Amino acid sequence: MLGSNTLGNGWVVPADDAAITAAADLLRGGQIVAIPTETVYGLAADASNADAVAHIYAAKGRPDFNPLIVHVHDLAAAEELAEFGPLARQLAEAFWPGALTLVLPLREGAKVAAAVTAGLPTIALRCPAHPVMQAVLAKSGLNLAAPSANKSGAISPTRAEHVLASLGGAVPMILDAGPCKEGLESTIVAIRLENIEILRPGPVTTESLQTFSKRQPSQQTGQKIEAPGQLASHYAPTKTVRLNAQIAEDGEWLIGFGTVAGHDNLSPTADLAQAAAHLFDALHRADASPYRSIAVADIPDKGIGVAINDRLKRAATR
Ligand code: AMP
Ligand code: MG
């Protein structure tokens, strides 16, 4: 039994079967629920319900030009929403369930609220691997729009406590399944003319994508904002952030990596996957520390290090 539901009071519950059923009921009733995924915690709503989707934008304070990723149970559900060409299908079969989001042409008549795609002719789709998110998708029978469960522009949540601290009473229910394994938002790719365009680097690396495309995947550099992760300032702590630090200067909390010890260390063994999983938690701790500003050690720009550096650059921009 879950006890009484204190709707609107920020309710963190362990993600057991009863909680997953309750979450599915809330979602079917047009409410928003924070749900763990393997990337970060997401703030989910029924993607076909305009009022439910409006709740996401309101809770996050998210600008309405920023479209949302729709989470689906499987490829069949995805194909009802978007047009899949051969390359898109190959990528879905290779990386789903997992941390890859595909931006594809929206299928005519797809049951998706207009705000989800922010009026674009494309839709961003992901089939997540986390067993809790998978269970909620199965139980609710819905496709779930779910951006990261934090105030727009702030540090992403990799623990239920982060969601509570950022969104608090704006979310009726937060499912808690401990820290997220990947710790960084999904890789977003657009498929254009059967080529891969990387809109946001993430856990699925450029190296692992390039075997699927004759042309080298391109990194999107245009001015037009298609992904909020492309905004110059995003994932931002309240304090200033200095990058490529060797030692802490006066008043700085140093987030170390490898042999740069620091007050905290993303990975003492210099393991980039471990560093990715710890990054946002370390930024949350640094922001909450009594130190004036934040410094971060140099992170090698290869593999998932590219995505870590992408987030750090935006965190350091104000
Ligand atoms: P978040 O869920 O907070 O990680 O952000 C969702 C990301 O998906 C943002 O970067 C969006 O701009 C991006 N996105 C969603 N839909 C589209 C789309 N149709 N085209 C391009 N990017 C999209
Ligand atoms: Mg986000």
Side-chain angles (χ1 to χ4, degrees):
M1 263 313 285
L2 285 166
S4 64
N5 181 351
T6 52
L7 273 184
N9 290 332
W11 187 35
V12 180
V13 285
D16 58 16
D17 286 350
I20 286 166
T21 302
D25 287 345
L26 285 171
L27 289 163
R28 273 197 302 261
Q31 299 274 342
I32 52 176
V33 176
I35 306 174
T37 82
E38 70 275 29
T39 59
V40 301
Y41 276 70
L43 186 60
D46 175 359
S48 69
N49 180 333
D51 291 338
V53 171
H55 284 157
I56 294 182
Y57 281 92
K60 281 181 65 80
R62 183 171 174 119
D64 62 7
F65 60 81
N66 244 345
L68 305 174
I69 294 172
V70 176
H71 296 72
V72 293
H73 185 249
D74 52 23
L75 180 54
E79 296 209 48
E80 288 180 14
L81 302 178
E83 310 279 356
F84 277 69
L87 177 57
R89 196 166 293 115
Q90 251 189 324
L91 291 176
E93 280 164 2
F95 293 102
W96 283 2
L100 182 69
T101 295
L102 299 172
V103 172
L104 300 169
L106 182 64
R107 188 177 277 279
E108 217 179 287
K111 289 201 197 77
V112 175
V116 167
T117 56
L120 293 170
T122 51
I123 183 166
L125 295 173
R126 181 165 94 87
C127 172
H130 197 292
V132 171
M133 185 54 143
Q134 272 287 335
V136 176
L137 286 163
K139 195 104 213 173
S140 66
L142 301 171
N143 298 313
L144 296 173
S148 53
N150 55 278
K151 284 280 181 196
S152 183
I155 309 170
S156 298
T158 55
R159 295 173 180 273
E161 306 89 272
H162 298 158
V163 181
L164 189 63
S166 188
L167 297 177
V171 189
M173 185 182 206
I174 301 167
L175 293 181
D176 185 356
C180 302
K181 186 165 143 269
E182 302 279 7
L184 289 183
E185 299 83 353
S186 61
T187 304
I188 303 179
V189 302
I191 312 293
R192 296 207 176 104
L193 304 172
E194 291 297 296
N195 288 308
I196 299 174
E197 200 169 318
I198 299 175
L199 301 183
R200 175 174 73 185
V204 174
T205 60
T206 308
E207 292 89 325
S208 64
L209 287 167
Q210 68 198 13
T211 56
F212 291 86
S213 166
K214 283 189 237 54
R215 284 219 336 240
Q216 177 82 1
S218 62
Q219 196 85 37
Q220 221 239 26
T221 51
Q223 287 302 308
K224 196 166 135 270
I225 290 165
E226 276 189 285
Q230 293 169 276
L231 295 171
S233 175
H234 209 75
Y235 319 108
T238 57
K239 298 172 182 173
T240 60
V241 179
R242 182 171 70 90
L243 303 181
N244 304 323
Q246 291 289 329
I247 51 164
E249 287 175 2
D250 202 26
E252 278 182 344
W253 170 277
L254 176 61
I255 299 174
F257 176 78
T259 52
V260 176
H263 297 86
D264 201 353
N265 195 301
L266 294 177
S267 172
T269 59
D271 173 344
L272 286 170
Q274 186 182 37
H278 291 164
L279 178 68
F280 287 130
D281 197 33
L283 285 172
H284 279 285
R285 269 202 301 277
D287 222 13
S289 78
Y291 291 72
R292 241 189 351 263
S293 61
I294 303 168
V296 188
D298 185 38
I299 307 291
D301 207 35
K302 56 171 202 248
I304 197 171
V306 174
I308 297 174
N309 283 321
D310 170 78
R311 305 305 188 273
L312 282 173
K313 256 182 266 150
R314 294 174 207 280
T317 303
R318 33 190 61 234

